[in-house]
mmCIF file of all heavy atoms in Angstrom:
data_model
loop_
_atom_site.group_PDB
_atom_site.id
_atom_site.type_symbol
_atom_site.label_atom_id
_atom_site.label_comp_id
_atom_site.label_asym_id
_atom_site.label_seq_id
_atom_site.Cartn_x
_atom_site.Cartn_y
_atom_site.Cartn_z
ATOM 1 N N LEU A 17 116.833 122.888 63.207
ATOM 2 C CA LEU A 17 115.547 122.236 62.961
ATOM 3 C C LEU A 17 115.021 121.564 64.231
ATOM 4 O O LEU A 17 113.816 121.589 64.500
ATOM 5 C CB LEU A 17 115.677 121.208 61.840
ATOM 6 C CG LEU A 17 116.040 121.749 60.462
ATOM 7 C CD1 LEU A 17 116.165 120.620 59.467
ATOM 8 C CD2 LEU A 17 114.995 122.765 59.986
ATOM 9 N N TYR A 18 115.920 120.979 65.002
ATOM 10 C CA TYR A 18 115.515 120.333 66.249
ATOM 11 C C TYR A 18 114.923 121.362 67.215
ATOM 12 O O TYR A 18 113.855 121.136 67.799
ATOM 13 C CB TYR A 18 116.714 119.637 66.890
ATOM 14 C CG TYR A 18 116.430 119.122 68.283
ATOM 15 C CD1 TYR A 18 115.785 117.914 68.479
ATOM 16 C CD2 TYR A 18 116.797 119.870 69.407
ATOM 17 C CE1 TYR A 18 115.506 117.450 69.756
ATOM 18 C CE2 TYR A 18 116.527 119.418 70.687
ATOM 19 C CZ TYR A 18 115.883 118.209 70.857
ATOM 20 O OH TYR A 18 115.602 117.770 72.123
ATOM 21 N N GLU A 19 115.606 122.474 67.397
ATOM 22 C CA GLU A 19 115.129 123.489 68.332
ATOM 23 C C GLU A 19 113.784 124.067 67.903
ATOM 24 O O GLU A 19 112.985 124.485 68.752
ATOM 25 C CB GLU A 19 116.161 124.617 68.452
ATOM 26 C CG GLU A 19 117.460 124.198 69.120
ATOM 27 C CD GLU A 19 117.284 123.774 70.570
ATOM 28 O OE1 GLU A 19 116.268 124.170 71.184
ATOM 29 O OE2 GLU A 19 118.149 123.043 71.082
ATOM 30 N N ALA A 20 113.510 124.081 66.606
ATOM 31 C CA ALA A 20 112.257 124.657 66.101
ATOM 32 C C ALA A 20 111.113 123.654 66.081
ATOM 33 O O ALA A 20 109.958 124.042 65.855
ATOM 34 C CB ALA A 20 112.464 125.209 64.692
ATOM 35 N N ASN A 21 111.394 122.379 66.327
ATOM 36 C CA ASN A 21 110.375 121.348 66.179
ATOM 37 C C ASN A 21 109.549 121.196 67.451
ATOM 38 O O ASN A 21 110.102 121.038 68.539
ATOM 39 C CB ASN A 21 111.036 120.018 65.814
ATOM 40 C CG ASN A 21 110.035 119.013 65.298
ATOM 41 O OD1 ASN A 21 109.279 118.421 66.057
ATOM 42 N ND2 ASN A 21 110.023 118.822 63.983
ATOM 43 N N GLU A 22 108.248 121.211 67.298
ATOM 44 C CA GLU A 22 107.363 121.144 68.462
ATOM 45 C C GLU A 22 107.369 119.763 69.129
ATOM 46 O O GLU A 22 106.911 119.612 70.259
ATOM 47 C CB GLU A 22 105.934 121.505 68.064
ATOM 48 C CG GLU A 22 105.303 120.572 67.058
ATOM 49 C CD GLU A 22 103.891 120.984 66.695
ATOM 50 O OE1 GLU A 22 103.312 121.809 67.443
ATOM 51 O OE2 GLU A 22 103.357 120.478 65.687
ATOM 52 N N HIS A 23 107.880 118.776 68.432
ATOM 53 C CA HIS A 23 107.932 117.421 68.983
ATOM 54 C C HIS A 23 109.345 117.044 69.433
ATOM 55 O O HIS A 23 109.645 115.855 69.592
ATOM 56 C CB HIS A 23 107.446 116.418 67.931
ATOM 57 C CG HIS A 23 106.066 116.685 67.434
ATOM 58 N ND1 HIS A 23 104.945 116.611 68.233
ATOM 59 C CD2 HIS A 23 105.623 117.058 66.192
ATOM 60 C CE1 HIS A 23 103.869 116.910 67.525
ATOM 61 N NE2 HIS A 23 104.246 117.190 66.291
ATOM 62 N N ARG A 24 110.185 118.023 69.664
ATOM 63 C CA ARG A 24 111.586 117.722 69.962
ATOM 64 C C ARG A 24 111.759 116.912 71.239
ATOM 65 O O ARG A 24 112.712 116.133 71.346
ATOM 66 C CB ARG A 24 112.405 119.008 70.042
ATOM 67 C CG ARG A 24 111.980 120.002 71.098
ATOM 68 C CD ARG A 24 112.840 121.266 71.025
ATOM 69 N NE ARG A 24 112.396 122.284 71.965
ATOM 70 C CZ ARG A 24 111.425 123.165 71.705
ATOM 71 N NH1 ARG A 24 110.819 123.133 70.527
ATOM 72 N NH2 ARG A 24 111.052 124.061 72.599
ATOM 73 N N GLU A 25 110.862 117.063 72.205
ATOM 74 C CA GLU A 25 111.006 116.318 73.449
ATOM 75 C C GLU A 25 110.805 114.818 73.236
ATOM 76 O O GLU A 25 111.208 114.009 74.082
ATOM 77 C CB GLU A 25 110.006 116.838 74.491
ATOM 78 C CG GLU A 25 110.199 118.297 74.883
ATOM 79 C CD GLU A 25 111.597 118.567 75.419
ATOM 80 O OE1 GLU A 25 112.140 117.675 76.110
ATOM 81 O OE2 GLU A 25 112.148 119.654 75.166
ATOM 82 N N GLN A 26 110.194 114.449 72.128
ATOM 83 C CA GLN A 26 109.968 113.037 71.835
ATOM 84 C C GLN A 26 111.132 112.407 71.070
ATOM 85 O O GLN A 26 111.160 111.202 70.839
ATOM 86 C CB GLN A 26 108.689 112.880 71.010
ATOM 87 C CG GLN A 26 107.448 113.444 71.696
ATOM 88 C CD GLN A 26 106.248 113.463 70.767
ATOM 89 O OE1 GLN A 26 106.192 112.721 69.787
ATOM 90 N NE2 GLN A 26 105.278 114.319 71.061
ATOM 91 N N MET A 27 112.090 113.218 70.675
ATOM 92 C CA MET A 27 113.190 112.729 69.866
ATOM 93 C C MET A 27 114.381 112.309 70.725
ATOM 94 O O MET A 27 114.557 112.794 71.841
ATOM 95 C CB MET A 27 113.641 113.809 68.861
ATOM 96 C CG MET A 27 112.745 113.926 67.657
ATOM 97 S SD MET A 27 113.458 115.045 66.409
ATOM 98 C CE MET A 27 112.637 116.565 66.863
ATOM 99 N N ASP A 28 115.186 111.429 70.157
ATOM 100 C CA ASP A 28 116.436 110.990 70.788
ATOM 101 C C ASP A 28 117.538 111.904 70.253
ATOM 102 O O ASP A 28 118.156 111.606 69.232
ATOM 103 C CB ASP A 28 116.694 109.530 70.437
ATOM 104 C CG ASP A 28 117.971 108.978 71.056
ATOM 105 O OD1 ASP A 28 118.757 109.775 71.614
ATOM 106 O OD2 ASP A 28 118.190 107.761 70.960
ATOM 107 N N LEU A 29 117.787 112.995 70.952
ATOM 108 C CA LEU A 29 118.733 113.999 70.464
ATOM 109 C C LEU A 29 120.150 113.461 70.425
ATOM 110 O O LEU A 29 120.902 113.754 69.496
ATOM 111 C CB LEU A 29 118.668 115.261 71.330
ATOM 112 C CG LEU A 29 119.631 116.388 70.938
ATOM 113 C CD1 LEU A 29 119.404 116.835 69.497
ATOM 114 C CD2 LEU A 29 119.483 117.576 71.893
ATOM 115 N N GLU A 30 120.535 112.689 71.403
ATOM 116 C CA GLU A 30 121.890 112.146 71.404
ATOM 117 C C GLU A 30 122.137 111.317 70.148
ATOM 118 O O GLU A 30 123.158 111.478 69.463
ATOM 119 C CB GLU A 30 122.138 111.287 72.638
ATOM 120 C CG GLU A 30 123.548 110.694 72.656
ATOM 121 C CD GLU A 30 123.781 109.754 73.832
ATOM 122 O OE1 GLU A 30 122.898 108.913 74.103
ATOM 123 O OE2 GLU A 30 124.854 109.846 74.452
ATOM 124 N N SER A 31 121.205 110.433 69.824
ATOM 125 C CA SER A 31 121.359 109.594 68.639
ATOM 126 C C SER A 31 121.364 110.432 67.368
ATOM 127 O O SER A 31 122.121 110.156 66.425
ATOM 128 C CB SER A 31 120.236 108.552 68.573
ATOM 129 O OG SER A 31 120.348 107.630 69.644
ATOM 130 N N LEU A 32 120.539 111.455 67.334
ATOM 131 C CA LEU A 32 120.476 112.330 66.167
ATOM 132 C C LEU A 32 121.791 113.089 65.996
ATOM 133 O O LEU A 32 122.295 113.237 64.862
ATOM 134 C CB LEU A 32 119.303 113.310 66.302
ATOM 135 C CG LEU A 32 119.091 114.303 65.162
ATOM 136 C CD1 LEU A 32 118.979 113.598 63.815
ATOM 137 C CD2 LEU A 32 117.831 115.143 65.438
ATOM 138 N N LYS A 33 122.353 113.572 67.074
ATOM 139 C CA LYS A 33 123.648 114.261 67.001
ATOM 140 C C LYS A 33 124.730 113.339 66.438
ATOM 141 O O LYS A 33 125.494 113.718 65.543
ATOM 142 C CB LYS A 33 124.069 114.759 68.388
ATOM 143 C CG LYS A 33 123.351 115.998 68.876
ATOM 144 C CD LYS A 33 123.917 116.410 70.230
ATOM 145 C CE LYS A 33 123.353 117.743 70.685
ATOM 146 N NZ LYS A 33 123.966 118.197 71.956
ATOM 147 N N ILE A 34 124.785 112.129 66.965
ATOM 148 C CA ILE A 34 125.822 111.194 66.518
ATOM 149 C C ILE A 34 125.630 110.846 65.048
ATOM 150 O O ILE A 34 126.595 110.807 64.273
ATOM 151 C CB ILE A 34 125.804 109.926 67.391
ATOM 152 C CG1 ILE A 34 126.163 110.274 68.836
ATOM 153 C CG2 ILE A 34 126.779 108.875 66.836
ATOM 154 C CD1 ILE A 34 125.985 109.132 69.822
ATOM 155 N N ALA A 35 124.379 110.629 64.637
ATOM 156 C CA ALA A 35 124.106 110.305 63.236
ATOM 157 C C ALA A 35 124.512 111.446 62.321
ATOM 158 O O ALA A 35 125.063 111.229 61.234
ATOM 159 C CB ALA A 35 122.629 109.966 63.054
ATOM 160 N N ALA A 36 124.246 112.676 62.743
ATOM 161 C CA ALA A 36 124.631 113.834 61.928
ATOM 162 C C ALA A 36 126.149 113.930 61.791
ATOM 163 O O ALA A 36 126.670 114.244 60.714
ATOM 164 C CB ALA A 36 124.069 115.118 62.539
ATOM 165 N N ILE A 37 126.861 113.660 62.858
ATOM 166 C CA ILE A 37 128.314 113.739 62.821
ATOM 167 C C ILE A 37 128.899 112.668 61.895
ATOM 168 O O ILE A 37 129.825 112.920 61.130
ATOM 169 C CB ILE A 37 128.904 113.599 64.238
ATOM 170 C CG1 ILE A 37 128.489 114.793 65.109
ATOM 171 C CG2 ILE A 37 130.432 113.479 64.190
ATOM 172 C CD1 ILE A 37 128.809 114.632 66.585
ATOM 173 N N PHE A 38 128.329 111.472 61.921
ATOM 174 C CA PHE A 38 128.886 110.350 61.174
ATOM 175 C C PHE A 38 128.238 110.147 59.803
ATOM 176 O O PHE A 38 128.675 109.265 59.061
ATOM 177 C CB PHE A 38 128.721 109.055 61.976
ATOM 178 C CG PHE A 38 129.757 108.849 63.039
ATOM 179 C CD1 PHE A 38 129.583 109.385 64.303
ATOM 180 C CD2 PHE A 38 130.909 108.114 62.789
ATOM 181 C CE1 PHE A 38 130.531 109.201 65.305
ATOM 182 C CE2 PHE A 38 131.863 107.919 63.769
ATOM 183 C CZ PHE A 38 131.684 108.461 65.040
ATOM 184 N N HIS A 39 127.237 110.938 59.439
ATOM 185 C CA HIS A 39 126.408 110.571 58.288
ATOM 186 C C HIS A 39 127.175 110.445 56.981
ATOM 187 O O HIS A 39 126.818 109.647 56.116
ATOM 188 C CB HIS A 39 125.239 111.561 58.134
ATOM 189 C CG HIS A 39 125.564 112.839 57.435
ATOM 190 N ND1 HIS A 39 126.204 113.892 58.063
ATOM 191 C CD2 HIS A 39 125.342 113.244 56.160
ATOM 192 C CE1 HIS A 39 126.350 114.880 57.208
ATOM 193 N NE2 HIS A 39 125.842 114.515 56.039
ATOM 194 N N ASP A 40 128.268 111.187 56.801
ATOM 195 C CA ASP A 40 129.023 111.127 55.547
ATOM 196 C C ASP A 40 130.441 110.581 55.710
ATOM 197 O O ASP A 40 131.250 110.675 54.789
ATOM 198 C CB ASP A 40 129.103 112.522 54.908
ATOM 199 C CG ASP A 40 127.945 112.784 53.957
ATOM 200 O OD1 ASP A 40 127.097 111.879 53.770
ATOM 201 O OD2 ASP A 40 127.871 113.895 53.402
ATOM 202 N N CYS A 41 130.748 110.007 56.865
ATOM 203 C CA CYS A 41 132.131 109.566 57.091
ATOM 204 C C CYS A 41 132.526 108.451 56.135
ATOM 205 O O CYS A 41 133.715 108.231 55.893
ATOM 206 C CB CYS A 41 132.340 109.141 58.538
ATOM 207 S SG CYS A 41 131.500 107.618 59.014
ATOM 208 N N GLY A 42 131.566 107.746 55.556
ATOM 209 C CA GLY A 42 131.874 106.664 54.635
ATOM 210 C C GLY A 42 132.475 107.120 53.331
ATOM 211 O O GLY A 42 133.026 106.298 52.573
ATOM 212 N N TYR A 43 132.394 108.412 53.034
ATOM 213 C CA TYR A 43 132.978 108.919 51.795
ATOM 214 C C TYR A 43 134.492 108.755 51.770
ATOM 215 O O TYR A 43 135.095 108.721 50.702
ATOM 216 C CB TYR A 43 132.642 110.400 51.623
ATOM 217 C CG TYR A 43 131.363 110.665 50.879
ATOM 218 C CD1 TYR A 43 130.307 111.328 51.501
ATOM 219 C CD2 TYR A 43 131.208 110.283 49.556
ATOM 220 C CE1 TYR A 43 129.125 111.587 50.821
ATOM 221 C CE2 TYR A 43 130.035 110.538 48.867
ATOM 222 C CZ TYR A 43 128.995 111.190 49.505
ATOM 223 O OH TYR A 43 127.840 111.444 48.829
ATOM 224 N N GLY A 44 135.094 108.674 52.911
ATOM 225 C CA GLY A 44 136.544 108.578 52.952
ATOM 226 C C GLY A 44 137.090 107.204 52.607
ATOM 227 O O GLY A 44 138.300 107.002 52.585
ATOM 228 N N LYS A 45 136.206 106.239 52.323
ATOM 229 C CA LYS A 45 136.645 104.858 52.131
ATOM 230 C C LYS A 45 136.596 104.388 50.689
ATOM 231 O O LYS A 45 136.631 103.196 50.423
ATOM 232 C CB LYS A 45 135.789 103.919 53.008
ATOM 233 C CG LYS A 45 135.901 104.214 54.499
ATOM 234 C CD LYS A 45 137.348 104.158 54.966
ATOM 235 C CE LYS A 45 137.475 104.509 56.439
ATOM 236 N NZ LYS A 45 138.866 104.500 56.894
ATOM 237 N N GLY A 46 136.494 105.314 49.749
ATOM 238 C CA GLY A 46 136.564 104.902 48.347
ATOM 239 C C GLY A 46 135.332 105.286 47.562
ATOM 240 O O GLY A 46 134.269 105.543 48.114
ATOM 241 N N ARG A 47 135.466 105.274 46.239
ATOM 242 C CA ARG A 47 134.437 105.763 45.345
ATOM 243 C C ARG A 47 133.374 104.721 45.029
ATOM 244 O O ARG A 47 132.275 105.067 44.628
ATOM 245 C CB ARG A 47 135.059 106.224 44.025
ATOM 246 C CG ARG A 47 135.972 107.429 44.172
ATOM 247 C CD ARG A 47 136.683 107.694 42.865
ATOM 248 N NE ARG A 47 137.501 108.886 42.961
ATOM 249 C CZ ARG A 47 137.053 110.097 42.699
ATOM 250 N NH1 ARG A 47 135.810 110.274 42.339
ATOM 251 N NH2 ARG A 47 137.849 111.147 42.795
ATOM 252 N N ASN A 48 133.710 103.445 45.137
ATOM 253 C CA ASN A 48 132.819 102.410 44.642
ATOM 254 C C ASN A 48 131.922 101.820 45.722
ATOM 255 O O ASN A 48 131.285 100.794 45.512
ATOM 256 C CB ASN A 48 133.645 101.290 43.991
ATOM 257 C CG ASN A 48 134.434 101.803 42.806
ATOM 258 O OD1 ASN A 48 133.937 102.605 42.017
ATOM 259 N ND2 ASN A 48 135.672 101.336 42.684
ATOM 260 N N GLU A 49 131.873 102.446 46.854
ATOM 261 C CA GLU A 49 131.058 101.960 47.955
ATOM 262 C C GLU A 49 129.882 102.904 48.204
ATOM 263 O O GLU A 49 129.935 104.087 47.896
ATOM 264 C CB GLU A 49 131.907 101.868 49.237
ATOM 265 C CG GLU A 49 133.151 100.999 49.103
ATOM 266 C CD GLU A 49 132.823 99.527 49.056
ATOM 267 O OE1 GLU A 49 131.694 99.158 49.439
ATOM 268 O OE2 GLU A 49 133.682 98.747 48.614
ATOM 269 N N ASN A 50 128.821 102.349 48.754
ATOM 270 C CA ASN A 50 127.688 103.163 49.197
ATOM 271 C C ASN A 50 128.111 103.859 50.487
ATOM 272 O O ASN A 50 128.255 103.220 51.525
ATOM 273 C CB ASN A 50 126.464 102.284 49.421
ATOM 274 C CG ASN A 50 125.246 103.068 49.856
ATOM 275 O OD1 ASN A 50 125.339 104.016 50.619
ATOM 276 N ND2 ASN A 50 124.090 102.662 49.364
ATOM 277 N N HIS A 51 128.301 105.187 50.412
ATOM 278 C CA HIS A 51 128.888 105.887 51.559
ATOM 279 C C HIS A 51 128.020 105.784 52.803
ATOM 280 O O HIS A 51 128.525 105.782 53.926
ATOM 281 C CB HIS A 51 129.141 107.361 51.211
ATOM 282 C CG HIS A 51 127.940 108.233 51.312
ATOM 283 N ND1 HIS A 51 126.997 108.354 50.313
ATOM 284 C CD2 HIS A 51 127.504 109.033 52.322
ATOM 285 C CE1 HIS A 51 126.058 109.193 50.688
ATOM 286 N NE2 HIS A 51 126.331 109.619 51.910
ATOM 287 N N ALA A 52 126.695 105.709 52.639
ATOM 288 C CA ALA A 52 125.811 105.642 53.795
ATOM 289 C C ALA A 52 125.951 104.299 54.517
ATOM 290 O O ALA A 52 125.975 104.252 55.765
ATOM 291 C CB ALA A 52 124.369 105.856 53.359
ATOM 292 N N ILE A 53 126.051 103.223 53.757
ATOM 293 C CA ILE A 53 126.229 101.900 54.360
ATOM 294 C C ILE A 53 127.606 101.791 55.013
ATOM 295 O O ILE A 53 127.742 101.298 56.135
ATOM 296 C CB ILE A 53 126.054 100.796 53.297
ATOM 297 C CG1 ILE A 53 124.649 100.880 52.666
ATOM 298 C CG2 ILE A 53 126.289 99.426 53.919
ATOM 299 C CD1 ILE A 53 123.523 100.721 53.637
#
């Protein structure tokens, strides 16, 4: 999606990459927590 986006030069790709890698890591910490937080 990033490569196809005409506004990609305006985006912070490094931050987006890191967020994508970590976005679901909270699932490993239990069922009763908000995984995103």
Side-chain angles (χ1 to χ4, degrees):
L17 296 179
Y18 171 82
E19 293 296 339
N21 195 284
E22 62 180 344
H23 302 295
R24 60 183 176 275
E25 298 303 324
Q26 302 171 22
M27 282 188 265
D28 180 351
L29 179 58
E30 179 184 45
S31 294
L32 180 54
K33 284 183 173 184
I34 296 172
I37 295 170
F38 279 87
H39 82 281
D40 270 359
C41 70
Y43 270 118
K45 299 304 178 182
R47 295 172 177 272
N48 298 320
E49 304 287 343
N50 181 322
H51 81 277
I53 301 300

